[in-house]
Amino acid sequence: MAPESMSGLPAAVLAVWILCATGWGAVLLGLLRGLRGPARGPALFAHCATPAASILLFAHIGFGSLFGAIALAAEWWALLLVTGTRPERLLTTGGLRRLAFWAALAAAGAVWAGKTVLH
């Protein structure tokens, strides 16, 4: 076993999973706190279905779930940074500028994390 691994699992992979899980939880708390009205139920359902759907999608197209975890972690942390931990701001008060900044930050984070973890 390499010294940088934990029971054979590389520490970088474990860090990606932890960042992905904490980002998911932080976005969930933001949605629970901020959303009201008829949009709350579908938004919470979609957010809760996203991790399983992502793993299934990446497995179906032939990539491992690590690629999906990297992408989701980057998207969730970018969302938290752009909206100030209030995800409903992405569409209600942000307009296209905030949406574009989120997409660019998520893409940059995914590329950086991918290169860091996979190389």
Side-chain angles (χ1 to χ4, degrees):
M1 246 185 319
E4 66 275 353
S5 68
M6 304 175 93
S7 300
L9 184 69
V13 173
L14 186 61
V16 167
W17 288 347
I18 290 171
L19 285 171
C20 189
T22 55
W24 182 86
V27 170
L28 179 65
L29 288 176
L31 289 172
L32 286 171
R33 183 183 66 230
L35 282 179
R36 299 285 178 251
R40 184 177 182 162
L44 291 175
F45 175 77
H47 183 67
C48 290
T50 299
S54 172
I55 289 171
L56 289 173
L57 172 69
F58 277 84
H60 181 69
I61 62 175
F63 290 111
S65 63
L66 183 59
F67 292 101
I70 289 170
L72 287 175
E75 290 170 11
W76 286 325
W77 285 104
L79 178 65
L80 292 168
L81 288 172
V82 168
T83 61
T85 70
R86 294 183 57 200
E88 73 276 4
R89 287 182 182 171
L90 187 65
L91 298 175
T92 58
T93 60
L96 290 177
R97 188 176 325 164
R98 189 173 289 197
L99 185 63
F101 185 57
W102 168 74
L105 190 60
V111 168
W112 174 82
K115 286 185 179 193
T116 303
V117 172
L118 300 173
H119 289 85

